[in-house]
Amino acid sequence: MGKAKVKPGPLGRRPDNSAFKQQRLPAWSPMLTANSVLPFFYVMAVICMVLGVWLLLTVQSTQEIKVDYTDAGTCNVCLEMRKNVSNAAKSCSCTVRFEIQKAFKGDVFFYYGLRNFHQNLRRYMDSRDDGQLVGKKANLKNPSSYCEPFSKDPSGLPVAPCGAVANSMFNDSFSLTYHGSSGLTAAVPLLRRGITWYTDKNIKFHNPKIDNLTLPQVFEGTAKPLYWQRPVYQFEPLDPNNNGFINDDLIVWMREAAFPNFKKLYGILNRTNKPFKNGLPAGNYSVEISYNFPVQYFQGRKGVVLTTLTWFGGQNYFLPIAYLVTSGLILLVAVVLTVVWWKFGKNGNNMQE
Amino acid sequence: MAFWRRNTHVEKERRVKANARDHNDRFAYADNHIKTSKYNILTFLPINLFEQFQRVANAYFLVLLILQLIPEISSLSWFTTIVPLVLVLVITAVKDATDDYFRHKSDQQVNNRQSQVLIRGSLQNEKWMNIRVGDIIKLENNQFVAADILLLSSSEPYGLCYIETAELDGETNLKVRQASTVTSDLGDLSKLMDFDGEVMLVTLRNASRGFLSFSVFMLVKVCGLASAVNLHLFMPCPSGEVICEPPNNKLDKFTGTLYWRDNKYPLDNEKVLLRGCVLRNTEWCFGMVIFAGLQTKLMQNCGRTKFKRTSIDKLMNTLVLWIFALLVCMGVILAIGNTVWENLIGQSFQDFLPWNVYQRNAVFSGFLTFWSYVIILNTVVPISLYVSMEVLRLGHSYFINWDGKMYHRRTDTAAEARTTTLSEELGQVEFVFSDKTGTLTQNIMVFSKCSINGQTYGDVYDEFDQKVEITEKTPCVDFSFNPLCDRKFKFYDVSLMEAIKLEDPVVQEFFRLLALCHTVMPEEKSEGHLVYQAQSPDEGALVTAARNFGFVFRSRTPETITLCEMGRSVTYRLLAILDFNNVRKRMSVIVRDPQGHIKLYSKGADTIIFDRLDPSDEDLMYTTSEHLSEFAGEGLRTLALAYKDLDEDYFEVWMKKLLFASTVIENREDQLAVLYEEIEQGLKLLGATAIEDKLQEGVPETIARLNLADIKIWVLTGDKLETAMNIGYSCNLLRDDMNEVFVISGYTVLEVQQQLRNAKERILGLSRVTSAAGDVGKTDVLADDSVFEETLIAEYALVINGHSLAHALEPQLERTLLDLACLCKTVICCRVTPMQKAQVVELVKSHKRAITLAIGDGANDVSMIRTAHIGVGISGQEGMQAVLASDYSFAQFRFLQRLLLVHGRWSYFRMCNFLCYFIYKNFAFTLVHFWYGFFCGFSAQTVYDQWFITLFNIVYTSLPVLAMGLFDQILSSHTGCRRPVQPSLPEPLQTRPAKPPLQQAPVLPVHAPRDGHILPALLYSLRSLFPLSERGRLALLRPTNICRYHSNVLGHCRECSDWT
């Protein structure tokens, strides 16, 4: 240790009398006695209870309906058809009907969901080229080795977008129809734009730009991913802001889910016209599915989810239940402690020691 | 020795010729250039990196880094490892570099100091680094000595010079050095030019120790012969040289011989000025360089101190190993999971994610997964823990340095933590070994009583012959007749003054002895104003007493001592000084008084002196020894005084032998001791002195508190049994309400054994010991005993003297001694040698697995301080050797209480809590990945962003834990002192190592992160935003609370993970 500087004078070596050096910084040291701990426990129990109930009410105010269409309705035909690989290119559509008993108020979100699909495998997640997706020309023609074996097609052309993630992109599409009580049938308008994260759409994904070339020209010399039916520049040829790498569906898919069971946003209810001004009215609905995505290989299920949201998010009971359980436990402990205190601790001095 | 490793050839002796650089160059002695720095610009990087990677932690990181470079394994980018690694490396490197830079600077400064060197007949200024062995240099007042030099001459008469050795051993009193008589007149340059003396220093180390001495001795003989042959071969005319010992680190030993003009002259420590000393009160002096640069004794002493490790260190190492094992376990579990998963599920997922070549084999894929998980889970092994702990300890030791309550105002000394690595060990001390003099007592000696010729003086009696308690009001003896008296000196018994006035010859002789037989230096600042520079306070007290009673010691030269006896100035010729040392326990002087009589005056420990008395003195001896035990009973330190008239012829013969013996090179000391022994026989007893040594402030209270904290205090003292016991009573170690005080004072092994057994019997009850008597070593008996130990309520004390201790420390008895000693509340060992002190400490240390602390102030405590786990030095009257050897130092014994009960406890609890917290947070952080493995097909996918993982430990969460580790106070310092027994821990805290709290730590978070993956992260990153709010009592944040926080944050996290 270095030698302390010695001040002149008779008391030169005296340490500074500062709160820090003398370890006298202000500090609060609660005295744990029954009188302070027990109320604390009760108060905590009450707080947790209140929070839990409040959250429960919030969550209950959301509405959600899940429709598993893997083999429901007419879809079992498509499921059978997709079992055969040779039919991969054939289109197949089916319809599933369901009923909404209580009107969905407010914004309604349309998700597709997959079960048992492991988007979270390390090699799967790594199997993409972010450089390519952000529009780097070099990576477009020369995808990263992480994309193997989906970086080149059999003829040697570079794949755009490369990698297992893009290759396995979910390619079912849906159209939702409302069957009103008065026999009125209306297609439910879905906003298919604005379903991505802002950062993804505007920062992480860009189409490569070469002077005045059009998108198909830019992508010339690349191949579409193996499982895709159309190349990436044909997602929506008419809308340059939703085509190529910046297609919303692609972006949503490319943000991998953390768990094998997940749902991804497909569209948001367009509430400009009647009868959807206030959300989804009660009644019968049917969803017509262009059934492309095979799930039988991995014992997966697929479905659609319609839900409203609050500030809290979708319908998720975990947190309210966690609060309520915690509250119950604390209450239990508090009661036990009270009993113990009442019986043994009250007159003894051992609590203070 | 370090030096020997550095040089390939072993230097067995050193020959130095004055003014002959060419000659000396042949031996390749080190020059005076010193280098304490470790690196230069080129070597810094490789050497420093090499050193750093010798640490396990850094090496571990490196291995991880290499693993991460394999793409098949790499689950995290390389920067997750390299950032913390580089950060740690850079911080350490910067610290090393600045340290080294300052070393370079100070080296440079020292190397460039100017010094005057005699070159070709004239004095020239020369930088220190250019000084060579054999050069003659001139030193002036207040200059640092540039190298180890042989004093040749000085401005003072008889070649005397005064030095201060503060930089060497911390002692600030002046010491005298005297040039050899043959060289002391080499005052001017021309004479010095002609001086071509040669110094020879021969291996003579430890020649007096044990059976080794013989072999060393033989070696010396052989070497001596060889050198003699050399001498004749190369130098037909051996005009002169110095032959001396090779460089070593013994500051107080030097042996050499000067050959000059065909004569040999002995050289010893008194004629050598060591590098680092400062010349004082001397206008100039000349010296010849013997050792230079790195070979000087100062530099040889700059070794690295032995690294003491604390039990928490050891615990942590095992803990880290266990955690590592756990990591491997988790890796294996996940790897197996991966194998199974790939077979069952991954196979059907191949359309979306085809297997690689290596994945065809599921087992191999599992193997790779194992390594991937080792990388991901690496944060569970708390590598940054080591660094953080260093920081904490440093902080703790700074707090000790800064503690105003451990600052002693009168001596202007603050406490000093000289080691920064032991702070938490202080909280676990179970045994304190204390020196008595200067540690428990003030070591300010006051002459209080004496016994002269069978008559005691010093007590005051009233008219009824009743002893009167001496208070402030008791009238003092009036010393006004004596203009030279010391006004601070107080003595209350008038009868002694009357005896002097009556010119009682024995009384006069008594005080004459006190005035003559010592090594005190007088300083007469102005006429009649005398100040004594005494190396030991006892001597100062005695000389001061003689001074006040009219035998004033006024001045000394190497050959004379001048007294002022009752106003008359008398000069005695000093013929010989027979030095004091710990073995002889006495010192004598031989003087010739103005009448021409030769007299030997001797003072020393009573037993030693009594053994050498003339048989005719027996009666007086008995009365005196009665008085002595009376004095000792009052806790006074006693010395016996004796003299002897010497026959002129006998003395001359003896003197010749002495002169001869003092020039021999081989075991000179032994020969001198024999000669001393020969002349110190048949002494006539004069009387005895009793010196009071007052207890230090607050000692009894401190001892009582330490006792309450179940810290056992053993006093190891060199004093007599009675003195020791008395002090024991006065400082609360022994009490009247103790059940029994056992005194062990046997002279043979059997006696001691019997006494120890008896004492144990008394304590444990007869039946138990008889069963144990036959086979002491049996474990069940011992185990029984230790159970019994705990339940023992009665208080016993053990007092054991040096003789018995020597026997009791023999292997067959040491266990019995230890058992008995541990049954007793207090143990006092008296008459112990420094070696025995260390042995006692070692005994406890090795058998009890307890933390020991040794506290002492003198050179005799150094061995004990070094042996104990923690050594504490009291910077007191007896120089600085103890402090220099210690880990902690302060000025007063009572500060020990604060050191142990406040700082020690704080450090210990802080460290434990810190470890818990740290390991907890790492587990909470890392186990998330373990659980996530079950969701992501054991594919070693991470949950967090890589930069978050990278910075979690070193940036986000390092401050809160550090703040807690530094500032948390388990108890206020006040309570800490008032309640020495830790209230919340039923057992004394010392007996429980940090295990219990630590074991809980990893268990907690195992289930915590199950659902809320980001929760601990959030929790801690929130905390890191408010590091200052942690300054309070985080320890009170109970695990339940933590869990609750978890559940609170948990839902949010569920939300987050679902939304992805």
Side-chain angles (χ1 to χ4, degrees), chain A residues 1 10 13-15 22-23 28-29 121-123 227 258 297 316 318-319 330, chain B residues 348 351 359 401-402 404 409 412 417 910 932 935-936 939 969 1033 1044 1050-1051 1055:
Chain A
M1 291 185 59
R13 264 184 278 258
R14 176 154 67 177
Q22 299 308 320
Q23 306 200 56
W28 176 65
S29 169
L121 298 178
R122 178 166 58 88
R123 285 195 309 115
Y227 292 181
Y297 304 120
N316 188 331
F318 182 82
L319 194 60
I330 296 175
Chain B
S348 57
D351 286 320
Q359 263 182 318
N401 290 352
W402 287 333
R409 187 181 274 268
D412 188 26
R910 282 167 184 175
Y932 189 64
F935 292 95
C936 68
S939 62
Q969 300 183 357
R1033 310 290 156 79
R1044 197 152 60 239
L1050 191 131
E1055 247 343 83

CSV table of all heavy atoms in Angstrom, one decimal, chain A residues 1 10 13-15 22-23 28-29 121-123 227 258 297 316 318-319 330, chain B residues 348 351 359 401-402 404 409 412 417 910 932 935-936 939 969 1033 1044 1050-1051 1055:
chain,number,residue,atom,x,y,z
A,1,MET,N,0.8,-1.2,0.0
A,1,MET,CA,0.0,0.0,0.0
A,1,MET,C,0.9,1.2,0.0
A,1,MET,O,1.9,1.3,0.6
A,1,MET,CB,-0.9,0.0,1.3
A,1,MET,CG,-1.9,-1.1,1.2
A,1,MET,SD,-2.9,-0.9,2.7
A,1,MET,CE,-3.6,0.7,2.4
A,10,PRO,N,1.6,18.4,14.5
A,10,PRO,CA,1.7,17.4,15.5
A,10,PRO,C,0.7,16.2,15.3
A,10,PRO,O,0.9,15.1,15.7
A,10,PRO,CB,1.4,18.1,16.9
A,10,PRO,CG,0.7,19.3,16.4
A,10,PRO,CD,1.2,19.7,15.1
A,13,ARG,N,-0.7,12.8,11.1
A,13,ARG,CA,-1.1,11.5,10.6
A,13,ARG,C,-2.5,11.1,11.0
A,13,ARG,O,-2.9,10.0,10.7
A,13,ARG,CB,-0.1,10.4,11.1
A,13,ARG,CG,1.0,10.1,10.1
A,13,ARG,CD,1.8,9.0,10.6
A,13,ARG,NE,2.8,9.5,11.6
A,13,ARG,CZ,4.1,9.7,11.3
A,13,ARG,NH1,4.5,9.5,10.1
A,13,ARG,NH2,4.9,10.1,12.2
A,14,ARG,N,-3.2,12.1,11.6
A,14,ARG,CA,-4.6,11.7,12.0
A,14,ARG,C,-5.4,11.5,10.8
A,14,ARG,O,-5.5,12.4,9.9
A,14,ARG,CB,-5.1,12.8,12.9
A,14,ARG,CG,-6.6,12.5,13.2
A,14,ARG,CD,-7.1,13.1,14.5
A,14,ARG,NE,-7.1,14.5,14.4
A,14,ARG,CZ,-7.6,15.2,15.4
A,14,ARG,NH1,-7.9,14.7,16.6
A,14,ARG,NH2,-7.6,16.5,15.3
A,15,PRO,N,-6.2,10.5,10.7
A,15,PRO,CA,-7.1,10.3,9.6
A,15,PRO,C,-8.1,11.3,9.5
A,15,PRO,O,-8.6,11.9,10.6
A,15,PRO,CB,-7.7,8.9,9.9
A,15,PRO,CG,-6.9,8.3,10.9
A,15,PRO,CD,-6.3,9.4,11.7
A,22,GLN,N,-14.8,7.5,8.1
A,22,GLN,CA,-15.1,6.9,9.4
A,22,GLN,C,-16.3,6.0,9.4
A,22,GLN,O,-16.8,5.6,10.4
A,22,GLN,CB,-15.3,8.0,10.5
A,22,GLN,CG,-14.2,8.9,10.7
A,22,GLN,CD,-12.9,8.2,11.0
A,22,GLN,OE1,-12.9,7.2,11.7
A,22,GLN,NE2,-11.8,8.6,10.4
A,23,GLN,N,-16.7,5.7,8.2
A,23,GLN,CA,-17.8,4.8,8.0
A,23,GLN,C,-19.0,5.2,8.7
A,23,GLN,O,-19.7,4.4,9.4
A,23,GLN,CB,-17.4,3.3,8.4
A,23,GLN,CG,-16.1,2.9,7.7
A,23,GLN,CD,-16.0,1.4,7.7
A,23,GLN,OE1,-16.9,0.7,7.2
A,23,GLN,NE2,-14.9,0.9,8.2
A,28,TRP,N,-29.8,3.4,7.1
A,28,TRP,CA,-31.0,3.1,7.8
A,28,TRP,C,-31.0,1.6,8.1
A,28,TRP,O,-30.8,0.8,7.2
A,28,TRP,CB,-32.2,3.4,7.0
A,28,TRP,CG,-33.5,3.0,7.6
A,28,TRP,CD1,-34.0,3.5,8.8
A,28,TRP,CD2,-34.4,2.1,7.1
A,28,TRP,NE1,-35.2,2.9,9.0
A,28,TRP,CE2,-35.5,2.0,8.0
A,28,TRP,CE3,-34.5,1.3,6.0
A,28,TRP,CZ2,-36.6,1.2,7.9
A,28,TRP,CZ3,-35.5,0.4,5.8
A,28,TRP,CH2,-36.6,0.4,6.8
A,29,SER,N,-31.1,1.2,9.3
A,29,SER,CA,-31.1,-0.2,9.6
A,29,SER,C,-32.3,-0.5,10.4
A,29,SER,O,-32.5,-0.2,11.5
A,29,SER,CB,-29.8,-0.4,10.5
A,29,SER,OG,-29.9,-1.7,11.1
A,121,LEU,N,-34.1,-22.9,-32.0
A,121,LEU,CA,-32.9,-23.7,-32.1
A,121,LEU,C,-31.7,-22.8,-32.5
A,121,LEU,O,-31.9,-21.9,-33.3
A,121,LEU,CB,-33.0,-24.8,-33.1
A,121,LEU,CG,-34.1,-25.8,-32.7
A,121,LEU,CD1,-34.2,-26.9,-33.8
A,121,LEU,CD2,-33.8,-26.5,-31.4
A,122,ARG,N,-30.6,-23.0,-31.9
A,122,ARG,CA,-29.5,-22.1,-32.1
A,122,ARG,C,-29.1,-22.1,-33.6
A,122,ARG,O,-28.9,-21.1,-34.2
A,122,ARG,CB,-28.3,-22.5,-31.2
A,122,ARG,CG,-27.0,-21.6,-31.5
A,122,ARG,CD,-26.0,-21.8,-30.4
A,122,ARG,NE,-25.6,-23.2,-30.3
A,122,ARG,CZ,-24.6,-23.7,-31.0
A,122,ARG,NH1,-23.9,-23.0,-31.9
A,122,ARG,NH2,-24.2,-24.9,-30.8
A,123,ARG,N,-29.0,-23.3,-34.1
A,123,ARG,CA,-28.5,-23.3,-35.5
A,123,ARG,C,-29.6,-22.7,-36.5
A,123,ARG,O,-29.3,-22.1,-37.5
A,123,ARG,CB,-28.2,-24.7,-35.9
A,123,ARG,CG,-26.9,-25.2,-35.4
A,123,ARG,CD,-26.4,-26.5,-36.1
A,123,ARG,NE,-27.4,-27.5,-36.1
A,123,ARG,CZ,-28.0,-27.9,-37.2
A,123,ARG,NH1,-27.5,-27.5,-38.4
A,123,ARG,NH2,-28.9,-28.8,-37.2
A,227,TYR,N,-38.2,-23.6,-50.3
A,227,TYR,CA,-39.6,-23.9,-50.1
A,227,TYR,C,-40.6,-22.8,-50.5
A,227,TYR,O,-41.8,-22.9,-50.3
A,227,TYR,CB,-39.8,-24.1,-48.6
A,227,TYR,CG,-39.1,-25.4,-48.0
A,227,TYR,CD1,-39.2,-25.7,-46.7
A,227,TYR,CD2,-38.4,-26.2,-48.8
A,227,TYR,CE1,-38.6,-26.8,-46.2
A,227,TYR,CE2,-37.8,-27.3,-48.3
A,227,TYR,CZ,-37.9,-27.6,-47.0
A,227,TYR,OH,-37.2,-28.7,-46.5
A,258,ALA,N,-39.2,-17.1,-29.1
A,258,ALA,CA,-38.3,-17.7,-28.1
A,258,ALA,C,-38.8,-19.1,-27.7
A,258,ALA,O,-38.0,-19.9,-27.1
A,258,ALA,CB,-38.3,-16.8,-26.8
A,297,TYR,N,-44.9,-33.0,-40.2
A,297,TYR,CA,-43.5,-33.6,-40.0
A,297,TYR,C,-43.1,-33.5,-38.5
A,297,TYR,O,-42.4,-34.3,-38.0
A,297,TYR,CB,-42.5,-32.9,-40.9
A,297,TYR,CG,-42.8,-32.9,-42.3
A,297,TYR,CD1,-43.0,-31.7,-43.0
A,297,TYR,CD2,-43.0,-34.1,-43.0
A,297,TYR,CE1,-43.3,-31.7,-44.4
A,297,TYR,CE2,-43.3,-34.1,-44.3
A,297,TYR,CZ,-43.5,-32.9,-45.0
A,297,TYR,OH,-43.8,-32.9,-46.3
A,316,ASN,N,-53.4,-12.9,-20.7
A,316,ASN,CA,-52.3,-13.7,-20.0
A,316,ASN,C,-52.6,-13.6,-18.5
A,316,ASN,O,-52.5,-12.6,-17.9
A,316,ASN,CB,-51.0,-13.0,-20.4
A,316,ASN,CG,-49.8,-13.9,-19.9
A,316,ASN,OD1,-50.0,-14.6,-18.9
A,316,ASN,ND2,-48.7,-13.9,-20.6
A,318,PHE,N,-51.0,-15.1,-16.2
A,318,PHE,CA,-49.9,-15.5,-15.3
A,318,PHE,C,-49.6,-14.5,-14.2
A,318,PHE,O,-49.6,-14.8,-13.1
A,318,PHE,CB,-48.6,-15.7,-16.1
A,318,PHE,CG,-47.4,-16.2,-15.3
A,318,PHE,CD1,-47.3,-17.5,-14.9
A,318,PHE,CD2,-46.6,-15.2,-14.7
A,318,PHE,CE1,-46.3,-17.9,-14.1
A,318,PHE,CE2,-45.6,-15.7,-13.9
A,318,PHE,CZ,-45.4,-17.0,-13.6
A,319,LEU,N,-49.5,-13.3,-14.6
A,319,LEU,CA,-49.1,-12.3,-13.6
A,319,LEU,C,-50.2,-12.1,-12.5
A,319,LEU,O,-49.9,-12.1,-11.3
A,319,LEU,CB,-48.8,-10.9,-14.3
A,319,LEU,CG,-48.1,-10.0,-13.4
A,319,LEU,CD1,-46.7,-10.5,-12.9
A,319,LEU,CD2,-47.8,-8.7,-14.1
A,330,ILE,N,-48.0,-14.9,1.4
A,330,ILE,CA,-47.6,-13.9,2.4
A,330,ILE,C,-48.6,-13.9,3.6
A,330,ILE,O,-48.2,-13.9,4.7
A,330,ILE,CB,-47.4,-12.5,1.8
A,330,ILE,CG1,-46.3,-12.6,0.8
A,330,ILE,CG2,-47.0,-11.5,2.9
A,330,ILE,CD1,-46.2,-11.3,0.0
B,348,SER,N,-37.4,-35.0,-36.7
B,348,SER,CA,-38.6,-34.7,-37.5
B,348,SER,C,-38.6,-33.2,-38.0
B,348,SER,O,-39.5,-32.8,-38.7
B,348,SER,CB,-39.8,-35.0,-36.7
B,348,SER,OG,-39.8,-34.3,-35.5
B,351,ASP,N,-36.7,-31.1,-42.1
B,351,ASP,CA,-37.0,-30.4,-43.3
B,351,ASP,C,-36.7,-28.9,-43.2
B,351,ASP,O,-36.4,-28.3,-44.2
B,351,ASP,CB,-38.5,-30.6,-43.5
B,351,ASP,CG,-38.8,-32.0,-44.0
B,351,ASP,OD1,-38.0,-32.5,-44.8
B,351,ASP,OD2,-39.8,-32.6,-43.6
B,359,GLN,N,-23.9,-33.7,-37.2
B,359,GLN,CA,-25.1,-34.0,-36.4
B,359,GLN,C,-25.7,-35.3,-36.7
B,359,GLN,O,-26.6,-35.8,-36.0
B,359,GLN,CB,-26.1,-32.9,-36.6
B,359,GLN,CG,-26.0,-31.8,-35.5
B,359,GLN,CD,-27.0,-30.8,-35.8
B,359,GLN,OE1,-27.3,-30.4,-36.9
B,359,GLN,NE2,-27.7,-30.3,-34.7
B,401,ASN,N,-7.1,1.9,7.9
B,401,ASN,CA,-6.2,3.0,8.0
B,401,ASN,C,-6.8,4.4,8.3
B,401,ASN,O,-6.2,5.2,9.0
B,401,ASN,CB,-5.5,3.2,6.6
B,401,ASN,CG,-4.6,2.1,6.3
B,401,ASN,OD1,-4.3,1.2,7.1
B,401,ASN,ND2,-4.1,2.0,5.1
B,402,TRP,N,-8.1,4.5,7.9
B,402,TRP,CA,-8.7,5.8,8.1
B,402,TRP,C,-9.4,5.9,9.4
B,402,TRP,O,-10.0,6.9,9.7
B,402,TRP,CB,-9.8,6.0,7.0
B,402,TRP,CG,-9.2,6.2,5.7
B,402,TRP,CD1,-8.0,6.8,5.4
B,402,TRP,CD2,-9.8,6.0,4.4
B,402,TRP,NE1,-7.9,6.9,4.0
B,402,TRP,CE2,-9.0,6.4,3.4
B,402,TRP,CE3,-11.0,5.4,4.0
B,402,TRP,CZ2,-9.2,6.3,2.1
B,402,TRP,CZ3,-11.3,5.3,2.7
B,402,TRP,CH2,-10.4,5.7,1.7
B,404,GLY,N,-10.5,6.8,12.7
B,404,GLY,CA,-10.0,7.8,13.7
B,404,GLY,C,-10.0,7.3,15.1
B,404,GLY,O,-9.3,7.8,15.9
B,409,ARG,N,-3.3,9.7,19.6
B,409,ARG,CA,-3.0,11.1,19.5
B,409,ARG,C,-1.6,11.4,20.0
B,409,ARG,O,-0.8,12.2,19.4
B,409,ARG,CB,-4.0,11.9,20.4
B,409,ARG,CG,-3.9,13.4,20.3
B,409,ARG,CD,-5.0,14.0,21.2
B,409,ARG,NE,-6.3,14.0,20.5
B,409,ARG,CZ,-6.7,15.1,19.9
B,409,ARG,NH1,-5.9,16.2,19.8
B,409,ARG,NH2,-7.8,15.2,19.3
B,412,ASP,N,0.9,10.2,17.6
B,412,ASP,CA,0.6,10.6,16.2
B,412,ASP,C,0.7,9.4,15.3
B,412,ASP,O,1.3,9.4,14.3
B,412,ASP,CB,1.5,11.7,15.8
B,412,ASP,CG,1.0,12.3,14.4
B,412,ASP,OD1,-0.2,12.1,14.1
B,412,ASP,OD2,1.9,12.8,13.7
B,417,ALA,N,-3.0,-0.9,8.0
B,417,ALA,CA,-3.1,-2.3,7.5
B,417,ALA,C,-2.0,-2.5,6.5
B,417,ALA,O,-2.0,-2.0,5.5
B,417,ALA,CB,-4.5,-2.5,6.9
B,910,ARG,N,-19.4,-8.7,5.7
B,910,ARG,CA,-19.4,-8.1,4.4
B,910,ARG,C,-19.0,-9.1,3.3
B,910,ARG,O,-19.6,-9.3,2.3
B,910,ARG,CB,-18.5,-6.8,4.3
B,910,ARG,CG,-19.1,-5.6,4.9
B,910,ARG,CD,-18.1,-4.6,5.1
B,910,ARG,NE,-18.7,-3.4,5.8
B,910,ARG,CZ,-18.0,-2.4,6.1
B,910,ARG,NH1,-16.7,-2.3,5.9
B,910,ARG,NH2,-18.5,-1.4,6.8
B,932,TYR,N,-33.8,-22.6,-20.0
B,932,TYR,CA,-34.2,-22.3,-21.4
B,932,TYR,C,-33.8,-23.5,-22.3
B,932,TYR,O,-34.4,-23.7,-23.3
B,932,TYR,CB,-33.6,-21.0,-21.9
B,932,TYR,CG,-34.1,-20.6,-23.2
B,932,TYR,CD1,-35.4,-20.2,-23.3
B,932,TYR,CD2,-33.3,-20.5,-24.3
B,932,TYR,CE1,-36.0,-19.8,-24.5
B,932,TYR,CE2,-33.8,-20.1,-25.5
B,932,TYR,CZ,-35.1,-19.7,-25.6
B,932,TYR,OH,-35.6,-19.3,-26.8
B,935,PHE,N,-36.4,-25.6,-23.4
B,935,PHE,CA,-37.4,-25.1,-24.4
B,935,PHE,C,-36.8,-25.1,-25.8
B,935,PHE,O,-37.6,-25.1,-26.7
B,935,PHE,CB,-37.9,-23.7,-24.0
B,935,PHE,CG,-38.7,-23.7,-22.7
B,935,PHE,CD1,-38.1,-23.5,-21.5
B,935,PHE,CD2,-40.1,-24.0,-22.8
B,935,PHE,CE1,-38.9,-23.5,-20.3
B,935,PHE,CE2,-40.8,-24.0,-21.6
B,935,PHE,CZ,-40.3,-23.8,-20.4
B,936,CYS,N,-35.6,-24.9,-25.9
B,936,CYS,CA,-35.0,-24.7,-27.2
B,936,CYS,C,-34.3,-25.9,-27.7
B,936,CYS,O,-33.3,-25.8,-28.5
B,936,CYS,CB,-34.1,-23.4,-27.2
B,936,CYS,SG,-32.6,-23.7,-26.2
B,939,SER,N,-30.3,-26.6,-27.6
B,939,SER,CA,-29.4,-26.2,-28.7
B,939,SER,C,-28.4,-25.1,-28.3
B,939,SER,O,-27.8,-24.5,-29.2
B,939,SER,CB,-30.3,-25.7,-29.9
B,939,SER,OG,-31.0,-24.6,-29.5
B,969,GLN,N,-23.1,-2.5,7.1
B,969,GLN,CA,-22.6,-2.7,8.5
B,969,GLN,C,-23.6,-3.6,9.2
B,969,GLN,O,-24.8,-3.2,9.4
B,969,GLN,CB,-22.5,-1.3,9.2
B,969,GLN,CG,-21.5,-0.4,8.5
B,969,GLN,CD,-21.4,0.9,9.2
B,969,GLN,OE1,-22.0,1.2,10.2
B,969,GLN,NE2,-20.5,1.7,8.7
B,1033,ARG,N,-28.3,-1.0,4.5
B,1033,ARG,CA,-28.2,-2.3,5.1
B,1033,ARG,C,-28.8,-3.4,4.2
B,1033,ARG,O,-29.9,-3.9,4.4
B,1033,ARG,CB,-28.8,-2.4,6.4
B,1033,ARG,CG,-28.4,-1.2,7.3
B,1033,ARG,CD,-27.0,-1.4,7.8
B,1033,ARG,NE,-26.3,-0.2,8.1
B,1033,ARG,CZ,-26.5,0.4,9.3
B,1033,ARG,NH1,-27.3,-0.1,10.2
B,1033,ARG,NH2,-25.9,1.5,9.5
B,1044,ARG,N,-39.9,-12.4,-3.8
B,1044,ARG,CA,-41.1,-11.7,-4.1
B,1044,ARG,C,-40.9,-10.7,-5.2
B,1044,ARG,O,-41.7,-10.6,-6.1
B,1044,ARG,CB,-41.7,-10.9,-2.9
B,1044,ARG,CG,-43.1,-10.5,-3.0
B,1044,ARG,CD,-43.8,-10.4,-1.7
B,1044,ARG,NE,-43.2,-9.5,-0.9
B,1044,ARG,CZ,-42.8,-9.8,0.3
B,1044,ARG,NH1,-42.8,-11.0,0.8
B,1044,ARG,NH2,-42.2,-8.9,1.1
B,1050,LEU,N,-41.6,-11.0,-12.6
B,1050,LEU,CA,-41.7,-12.2,-13.4
B,1050,LEU,C,-42.8,-12.2,-14.5
B,1050,LEU,O,-42.6,-12.5,-15.6
B,1050,LEU,CB,-42.0,-13.3,-12.4
B,1050,LEU,CG,-42.0,-14.8,-12.6
B,1050,LEU,CD1,-41.2,-15.4,-11.5
B,1050,LEU,CD2,-43.4,-15.3,-12.5
B,1051,GLY,N,-44.0,-11.7,-14.0
B,1051,GLY,CA,-45.1,-11.7,-15.0
B,1051,GLY,C,-44.8,-10.8,-16.2
B,1051,GLY,O,-45.1,-11.3,-17.3
B,1055,GLU,N,-44.7,-11.9,-20.2
B,1055,GLU,CA,-45.3,-11.1,-21.2
B,1055,GLU,C,-44.3,-10.9,-22.3
B,1055,GLU,O,-44.5,-11.3,-23.5
B,1055,GLU,CB,-45.5,-9.7,-20.7
B,1055,GLU,CG,-47.0,-9.2,-20.5
B,1055,GLU,CD,-48.0,-9.9,-21.3
B,1055,GLU,OE1,-48.5,-11.0,-20.9
B,1055,GLU,OE2,-48.3,-9.4,-22.4
